[in-house]
């Protein structure tokens, strides 16, 4: 469709709590931005007939509902081929024996092209309209990932991984020097910003030191300076596992958060994956800098044996969204991450008898409900990135999923007119790829069943 167009019917979103947008007429501009949102519009409103006549109206049926697109704050694109593999190993062994050998293969541009094409297609089909990607140390393959996202219409932040520490990174997969890693990151930023067709910055570069253990101080400092110079967002891992957290304490004499801040890497728009073991002081620093946490409930189970204290960190004022952490998390679906966020929060809360281990349990009020998880997967991600996505509001990008209930290969079973909070609960608890009829990013239809 060219020019303004509209959708009409039922939408739900979670600005704070659940908002039920019934009989809603949403006008979308030719720039893909929502121009207006009006609820309670009669089906006999003459504007609908006019839009219909102009072939500029998408009508949401009784067994359908429109929701904001999903924002995945943490994806390792090159790890897609090992989804669900070797999660019985500790993080450091999984990295050395499986992940680094796999990531080293992206020197082969043909291999990268095949995997990245499959991944972006798959994530769009799962309703991920925005993704933050860690790629590898290879500049050509990372540039290719950005081009694939742009070509397929996925909103994305794409990062060339920096990792130059000779004691933590193997000879076959390591930056030759901090200088080269910084120069190639600079080249990636210029390449993505100049991509033809990327005038609206649908795809953006992101500065990506893998994690403190994998980077020398020179690399951390250099990438921090580059972030200040270019205004790029930053992504990294933070206080993920006991091993990793202790390693940074031993090397730097401080927490990951403080080490990242000293290097200038904690900024508005910085996304810290995991953050399982941050202290309240760390949280205060993250909030002060306007940085955010990518909560990755699935991989935290396998690699951290921990539950991120989400409620407590929300109360401390952090921006928080959700991450699949492909392939530390063995699912490409952010709906799956959302339901796991609900499930693990219940483990944190249950067991209120303080005499029974583990001591981390028994935190009254730790549980989150389904609308909170839905919010993390949508508006929370937008807030973390400081982008107008994840809500149906004027000025927000039209990034949306049309869910259709009762499909034979879908999971979502709903009756028309289901109360909005229960509908949202059903979506979080059951929805998946099979329930998604259409996916739009920035007003462009990018997937349809
Ligand atoms: N820490 C450093 N690299 C990685 C990675 O690839 N996955 C996870 N989960 N943690 C990491
Ligand atoms: Fe990760």
């Amino acid at each position: 469709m060219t020019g303004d167009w509209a959708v009409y019917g039922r939408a739900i979103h979670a600005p704070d709590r659940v908002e039920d947008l019934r009989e809603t007429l949403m006008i979308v501009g030719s720039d893909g931005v929502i121009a207006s949102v009006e609820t309670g519009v009669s089906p006999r409103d003459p504007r609908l007939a006019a839009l219909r006549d102009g072939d500029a109206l998408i009508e949401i049926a009784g067994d359908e509902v429109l929701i904001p697109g999903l924002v995945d704050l943490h994806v390792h694109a090159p790890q897609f081929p090992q989804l669900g593999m070797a999660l019985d190993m500790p993080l450091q062994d999984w990295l050395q024996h499986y992940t680094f050998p796999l990531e080293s293969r992206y020197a082969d541009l043909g291999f990268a092209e095949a995997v990245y094409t499959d991944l972006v297609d798959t994530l769009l089909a799962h309703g991920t309209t925005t993704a933050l990607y860690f790629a590898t140390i290879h500049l050509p393959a990372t540039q290719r990932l950005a081009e694939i996202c742009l070509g397929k219409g996925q909103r994305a932040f794409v990062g060339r991984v920096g990792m130059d520490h000779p004691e933590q990174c193997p000879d076959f997969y390591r930056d030759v020097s901090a200088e080269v890693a910084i120069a190639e990151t600079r080249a990636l930023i210029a390449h993505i910003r100049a991509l033809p067709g990327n005038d609206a910055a649908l795809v953006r570069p992101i500065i990506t030191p893998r994690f403190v253990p994998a980077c020398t101080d020179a690399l951390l400092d250099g990438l921090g300076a580059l972030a200040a110079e270019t205004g790029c967002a930053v992504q990294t891992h933070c206080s993920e596992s006991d091993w990793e957290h202790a390693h940074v304490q031993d090397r730097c004499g401080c927490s990951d958060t403080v080490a990242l801040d000293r290097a200038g890497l904690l900024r508005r728009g910085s996304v810290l994956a995991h953050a399982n073991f941050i202290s309240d002081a760390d949280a205060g620093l993250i909030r002060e800098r306007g940085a955010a946490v990518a909560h990755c409930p699935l991989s935290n189970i396998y690699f951290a044996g921990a539950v991120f204290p989400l409620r407590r960190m929300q109360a401390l004022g952090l921006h928080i969204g959700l991450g699949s952490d492909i392939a530390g998390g063995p699912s490409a679906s952010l709906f799956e991450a959302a339901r796991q966020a609900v499930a693990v929060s219940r483990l944190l809360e249950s067991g209120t008898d303080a005499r029974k281990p583990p001591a981390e349990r028994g935190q009254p009020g730790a549980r989150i409900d389904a609308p909170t998880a839905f919010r993390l997967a949508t508006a929370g991600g937008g807030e973390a990135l400081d982008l107008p996505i994840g809500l149906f509001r004027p000025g927000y990008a039209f990034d949306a999923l049309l869910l259709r209930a009762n499909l034979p290969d879908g999971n979502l079973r709903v009756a028309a007119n289901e109360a909005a909070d229960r509908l949202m609960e059903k979506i979080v608890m059951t929805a998946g790829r099979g329930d998604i009829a259409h996916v739009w990013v920035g007003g462009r239809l990018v997937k349809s069943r």
Side-chain angles (χ1 to χ4, degrees), residues 264-287:
L265 290 161
L266 269 199
R267 301 157 44 86
R268 180 74 181 108
S270 293
V271 175
L272 310 177
H274 311 289
N276 291 309
F277 303 118
I278 57 172
S279 66
D280 285 7
D282 290 332
L285 191 54
I286 294 168
R287 187 196 50 215

Side-chain angles (χ1 to χ4, degrees), residues 76 79 91 94-95 99 210-211 237 240 274 303 325:
H76 293 272
Q79 296 174 17
L91 173 64
W94 178 82
L95 287 172
T99 303
R210 181 167 208 121
F211 62 159
H237 297 87
E240 175 177 3
H274 311 289
F303 289 146
D325 197 15

Side-chain angles (χ1 to χ4, degrees), residues 2-49:
T2 54
D4 288 2
W5 53 283
V7 288
Y8 176 70
R10 189 179 189 190
I12 56 172
H13 68 167
D16 180 22
R17 302 306 303 161
V18 184
E19 201 168 81
D20 194 1
L21 306 172
R22 287 189 187 242
E23 298 189 315
T24 297
L25 177 62
M26 208 178 307
I27 309 284
V28 182
S30 55
D31 56 359
V33 175
I34 298 168
S36 64
V37 181
E38 188 181 340
T39 56
V41 173
S42 158
R44 287 172 299 282
D45 190 297
R47 288 173 297 173
L48 298 179

Side-chain angles (χ1 to χ4, degrees), residues 289-301:
R289 299 288 184 256
V293 170
H295 175 32
C296 306
L298 275 156
S299 74
N300 290 345
I301 293 169

Side-chain angles (χ1 to χ4, degrees), residues 121-187:
D121 270 334
T122 302
L123 289 185
L124 284 173
H126 278 287
T128 298
T129 51
T130 298
L132 264 68
Y133 291 112
F134 279 60
T136 61
I137 67 171
H138 312 98
L139 179 60
T142 305
Q143 290 174 337
R144 200 67 202 100
L145 173 58
E147 291 156 11
I148 290 166
C149 294
L150 186 63
K152 292 184 180 296
Q154 186 180 46
R155 195 179 298 287
F157 290 71
V158 177
R160 177 208 178 278
V161 173
M163 44 188 286
D164 68 333
H165 204 292
E167 280 155 33
Q168 291 300 316
C169 312
D171 291 344
F172 64 83
Y173 187 54
R174 184 174 72 228
D175 277 313
V176 294
S177 68
E179 290 72 25
V180 168
I182 294 160
E184 291 204 358
T185 302
R186 188 185 287 283

